[in-house]
Amino acid sequence: MTQHQGITKVAENYYDSSDADAFYLQIWGGEDIHVGLYQSDEEPIREASRRTVDEMASRLTLGPDTALLDIGSGFGGAVRHLVAKYGLKEVVALNLSTAQNRRHRQMNEAAGIADHVRVVDGAFESIPGPDQSFDVVWCQDSILHSGEKARVLQEVDRVLKPGGQFIFTDPMQADDCPEGVLGPVLARIHLKEMGSFASYRGIARELGWQEAAVDDHSHQLPRHYARVRTELVKNEESLRKVCSETYLESMKKGLQHWVDAGKAGHLAWGIIHFRKPL
C-alpha cells in the first residue's frame, strides 16, 4: 500500500466508523458537516453551516442545466439544498465513506431528489468520470484529508468544462505558520502537512486557472471547533449511548487542539473560487 493509499484508508475507516457516523449526525449538524459562517458564538451549528453553503452558492450561476460535482460530499446536505433551491437536475456526489454514502442516499430518497443526485463511492484523487463533464466542482472541508492535494486539483481540472468553476473551503495552515507548531493537529488527521491559501493559489497558477475570489474567514475556524466542542460537552451523556467513551474523549482533546491552533493564528480557512479558462 502506498503512502497515499494509506492516508486515504485512514480517512475512509474513520468516517465509516459507527462513532463518527453518530457524532457527525447528532452534533456537527447532520446535513452539513463542515465549518460554518457564524454571526455569534452561540449560533446553532446547523444554521452557520448552511450559511456557508448559501455564501458559496451566491458566487455561482446555478440552474437546472448546471452539471455539478461535489467531491467529499459527506451526508449530502449541500447538494440537497442546492437541488431544492436552484433546481439542479444533474448532480454527482463523490465521497469516500460508504457509511456516509448510504445515509446520503437514504436522505435523498426521503427528500424526493434521488433521481437528481448520483452518489458515487470513490476518492477525489481519481475522480470517476469523463473529461470536461462538469460546469461546477464543489468541495467543503475535505481536501485536507488528501496527501496529494495537487493531484486532487488536477483531477478537478480534468473533469471541468472550459469556463467551469471550482469553489471550495478547506481547513489549512496559515501562510506564515511557523514550523513544528501544528503537530497535534496534523497527528489528528494523520498527515505531515496541510494546504494553505498560498499553496492552493500556486497549484491553480500551474493549472492556468483564473482566481475569481479568495476570501479569508480564518477567524471562523476556531469559532466553529469551539462551538462543536461545546455541543459535545453539553450532550455528552446522550452521546455516550451511541459513541464510545474513547472516541468522545479523543474528540474533545482533538477539537481543543484545533481551537488553540486557530486562536494562535496558525490555521486558516476561507472560500476559494477558481475558474478554468475557456
Side-chain angles (χ1 to χ4, degrees):
M1 182 181 292
T2 66
Q3 181 183 16
H4 155 64
Q5 290 171 327
I7 292 170
T8 299
K9 195 64 179 175
V10 166
E12 181 181 1
N13 289 341
Y14 173 74
Y15 285 107
D16 272 348
S17 72
S18 60
D19 281 333
D21 185 61
F23 180 81
Y24 283 90
L25 187 67
Q26 294 192 31
I27 296 298
W28 206 292
E31 285 278 335
D32 305 305
I33 53 174
H34 50 251
V35 178
L37 289 170
Y38 290 81
Q39 294 183 341
S40 74
D41 291 341
E42 294 77 30
E43 184 173 21
I45 297 169
R46 185 181 296 267
E47 292 179 16
S49 295
R50 181 49 50 86
R51 186 174 295 113
T52 304
V53 176
D54 282 330
E55 178 61 28
M56 292 171 67
S58 72
R59 317 295 179 89
L60 307 168
T61 300
L62 299 172
D65 296 328
T66 304
L68 183 142
L69 167 67
D70 183 359
I71 57 174
S73 56
F75 292 135
V79 295
R80 277 189 296 281
H81 183 61
L82 297 176
V83 168
K85 187 170 184 177
Y86 298 98
L88 302 183
K89 295 181 179 179
E90 187 181 348
V91 177
V92 176
L94 177 69
N95 196 54
L96 195 64
S97 167
T98 56
Q100 287 184 342
N101 290 345
R102 181 169 54 252
R103 194 178 294 278
H104 183 172
R105 294 183 183 102
Q106 292 169 350
M107 296 170 86
N108 289 348
E109 288 282 355
I113 64 164
D115 291 342
H116 301 304
V117 181
R118 182 162 61 91
V119 181
V120 178
D121 300 326
F124 43 37
E125 291 88 357
S126 183
I127 297 173
D131 297 354
Q132 299 185 9
S133 51
F134 293 99
D135 301 299
V136 173
V137 176
W138 177 289
C139 184
Q140 289 183 262
D141 306 332
S142 298
I143 303 176
L144 79 156
H145 292 297
S146 176
E148 297 185 282
K149 296 174 178 61
R151 181 173 171 181
V152 175
L153 270 64
Q154 290 164 3
E155 277 291 276
V156 170
D157 183 67
R158 180 182 66 80
V159 300
L160 271 178
K161 298 176 183 178
Q165 299 178 77
F166 179 39
I167 191 163
F168 70 105
T169 61
D170 207 40
M172 302 169 283
Q173 63 186 51
D175 287 342
D176 59 354
C177 180
E179 287 190 25
V181 299
L182 290 180
V185 171
L186 294 172
R188 181 79 184 169
I189 54 178
H190 302 278
L191 289 174
K192 295 181 179 179
E193 53 82 29
M194 300 176 75
S196 65
F197 284 120
S199 68
Y200 285 129
R201 279 175 156 144
I203 298 169
R205 284 194 298 270
E206 292 177 2
L207 292 170
W209 289 351
Q210 301 161 347
E211 184 176 307
V214 174
D215 296 332
D216 189 334
H217 296 285
S218 296
H219 68 286
Q220 294 284 4
L221 192 70
R223 198 178 203 182
H224 176 77
Y225 283 108
R227 189 73 187 82
V228 173
R229 193 180 190 283
T230 297
E231 286 299 304
L232 189 165
V233 173
K234 177 182 175 182
N235 295 279
E236 191 164 359
E237 184 175 346
S238 62
L239 279 170
R240 289 185 185 278
K241 298 176 182 178
V242 292
C243 298
S244 69
E245 183 173 353
T246 300
Y247 177 85
L248 293 176
E249 290 302 316
S250 176
M251 181 61 74
K252 282 192 291 185
K253 185 176 180 180
L255 288 167
Q256 191 62 50
H257 288 321
W258 284 89
V259 172
D260 293 342
K263 287 184 175 180
H266 298 152
L267 294 175
W269 182 84
I271 299 173
I272 303 175
H273 183 193
F274 294 122
R275 184 176 292 106
K276 182 177 178 177
L278 289 168

